[in-house]
Amino acid sequence: MTRPMVTLLLCLTCLSAAAPAMARTLQARIARVSTAVATLQDVQVRLDWPAQATQGELSLRAGRVEAPDLGYRFRDLRWHCPLHRDAAGGWRCDGVLRSGANGAPWRLAVDLGAASTDVTLASGDATLTLQRLAATPDDTTLELARVPLAWMQALLAQTWADGQLQTGSVDGRLRVHAPAEAALQVAGTLAVADAAFDSADASIAGQGLGGRFAVDWRQGARQSTLLLDGDLRGGELLAGDAYIALPATPVGLRIEGRQAGAAGWQLPAIAWRDGEVLVADASAVLTPDAGLHALDLRLRSRDLAPLRERYLSGWLGLFGLADLQLRGALEAQLRVADGDLQSASAELHDIDLIDGRDRFRFDGLAGPLRFSAGAPVAGALRWRGGQLYGLDFAAATLPLDSSDGELRLREAVTLPAFGGSLRFDDLVLRPPAGDAGLRLRFGLALDGLDIGALAQSLGWPAFQGELSGRIPNARYADERLQFDGGLTVQLFGGQVQVTQLSLERPFGVAPSLSADLALDDIDLMALTGVFDFGSIGGKLDGRIADLRLVDWTATAFDAQLHTDAAAARRAGVRQRISQRAVQNISSVGDSSFVSSLQGQLIGLFDDFGYRRIGIACRLANEVCEMGGLHSAGAGFTIVEGAGLPRLTVVGFNRQVDWPTLLERLAAAGKGDVKPVVQ
């Protein structure tokens, strides 16, 4: 912007020097003025110089100013200033510069000397100073002091069209070399403070960034090159799912790049130096829209502890592991070609992974992990031990092969866990590629897992039993884990069959579980004893269909539970229900006794015989539609008595608020419901 103005002023100098002493006004209209840096069109110049005066008034107006190499374009540029000659014979003009009708005023001062041209552009405390020496007319020196980073928006657009500079300031010195027949070069050192930027879609952003860099940018007719070398100090960076929180200590960064025509940038050398935490070297090729086309990356970390906070929290947060703690060291390499991962490897050195919410822990992870999109490679993952929900598991090794873009178990692996064992068969993992996300499939067999130990570690009631079963095929894709086959839980002397099991967003926000459950011959005495519900003797059958848990809270199901008299007879179990259990059932189900005589008699007996017990609940929209053994008018029978005294419990409220029902169940399980004799 300033160099064309200097050219115009030089022309005016020649005009004013040649003008008669009595001349008061000079006017010029110039269709086009071209320089190596910029072009001015529709230029109007007016010089008013009163007779015998020591200074005049200069007005300059340009309909259009374009500096395409720097990315600057202005419309209706106007500058008015007092023009006078200095003691050395040069000219000086200092006045207000505006662009457009509503443009903010800037101060532009121009000194035209015999040996140099000096221009100062200022706004508030921000100053941009330009100097061009007559001896080197192709070179211009720029001095920046507290210049808002937004002033460089047009220059940034030359290399990143979607980038938007927001806040921050820059200080430094640049040399602009603009020969007529060679590449434009901008080189120097810049110090940036409190910088913020983002892309149009907010997928790339930075905030609070500081640093000092040597810059060398060259733009020729066929190729542009860029060299950036210096240190970052503090701030935050976001690129897709990657979030980086930079430390206050210096992080070295060097980038070498080149771009031919409209092709994407090639980055033959990228270096990142963050002490012992992360050292990385890479080369990359970007697509014209700044996507990743190719990448070769080598990195190492001798201290993983700060890695999560500085570099991994964004990715870990997607899997619900934002507070994961790491210890140990690693080296890794990966290669991307045509936008797809071709190979990756990692050497793990005594790494500990500790979940911040105490769900799991792995001790001493080690071994070579390798991935290949082509020829087969072998690797392994080992650990010394660990915990899952407070239960210890032993050392193990997973032998892993990779080829054709998949990572797979070399052989079936059995892992001791929860007092039993887990066996993984045919595990195959395919990392994200193109538009497809992570894919995983495996077979799983569970044998004799101790339900009691698991319940204790999870803070559940003191369940007792074993969990066994086989899932021949489980598949994870599009944030959904689907299980074929089923699981059998040996629980309270009976069993629970789990089928149609699936899990959505298992590593994301609000995970959702779906399943069907079938109950067979559950010992009611053991079940009610665990929950302190009051005692019920007998065997329980039933189903819970279309069960759906969102964030581990039930939102829908269709449950029907009933006693099995034949199973009770086979087991020699008497079907008796205690007074307390009757009161709890009545409280939970909004039920009552059939007659006032029963209400009077219940307080006289500890327990009662019954023929059948049955209850149903269909949950939808936080309302439970209740049912029982059979309906009788407006009511439904929950307990059908037998013998003397004959006790029948009937429910009358078919629409029950689910949160209220949960509160009643919790109170009954804690023994907070007190018997009330009616």
Side-chain angles (χ1 to χ4, degrees), residues 236-466:
E236 302 167 276
L237 289 169
L238 175 69
D241 294 328
Y243 170 74
I244 298 175
L246 293 167
T249 54
V251 175
L253 174 62
R254 179 182 175 88
I255 299 175
E256 298 178 19
R258 59 177 179 265
Q259 182 183 39
W265 277 89
Q266 297 184 40
L267 307 174
I270 306 171
W272 185 275
R273 300 289 184 269
D274 184 6
E276 296 293 298
V277 177
L278 182 61
V279 174
D281 293 281
S283 61
V285 177
L286 305 182
T287 61
D289 60 354
L292 182 63
H293 177 71
L295 173 67
D296 281 294
L297 172 64
R298 300 163 303 284
L299 61 86
R300 75 170 187 271
S301 174
R302 295 177 179 171
D303 181 10
L304 290 176
L307 205 64
R308 170 188 58 84
E309 182 178 353
R310 296 186 190 180
Y311 300 103
L312 300 180
S313 61
W315 287 306
L316 292 174
L318 296 175
F319 297 97
L321 301 173
D323 51 2
L324 183 70
Q325 300 176 42
L326 301 95
R327 292 193 293 262
L330 66 79
E331 296 94 34
Q333 297 182 5
L334 67 84
R335 185 171 67 88
V336 174
D338 298 324
D340 294 327
L341 180 64
Q342 299 299 309
S343 64
S345 64
E347 293 285 345
L348 312 182
H349 302 290
D350 199 24
I351 293 177
D352 297 336
L353 299 182
I354 305 170
D355 178 47
R357 288 185 275 175
D358 294 328
R359 293 170 296 182
F360 65 86
R361 190 188 79 232
F362 284 88
D363 298 331
L365 285 168
L369 287 175
R370 295 187 174 93
F371 168 85
S372 172
V377 294
L381 177 64
R382 301 183 295 274
W383 58 80
R384 290 196 308 270
Q387 283 189 344
L388 183 61
Y389 288 103
L391 296 177
D392 294 335
F393 56 81
T397 298
L398 300 182
L400 298 168
D401 290 339
S402 180
S403 63
D404 301 323
E406 293 182 341
L407 191 69
R408 63 183 67 86
L409 275 177
R410 191 177 310 133
E411 58 193 35
V413 174
T414 299
L415 306 176
F418 306 119
S421 65
L422 303 173
R423 189 183 77 247
F424 287 93
D425 301 311
D426 305 323
L427 185 148
V428 178
L429 183 148
R430 181 175 288 273
D435 295 331
L438 176 71
R439 298 287 190 270
L440 174 67
R441 70 176 187 273
F442 59 90
L444 178 64
L446 300 89
D447 184 22
L449 272 64
D450 187 345
I451 297 294
L454 182 60
Q456 183 179 12
S457 69
L458 294 175
W460 293 349
F463 296 153
Q464 298 296 323
E466 290 185 349

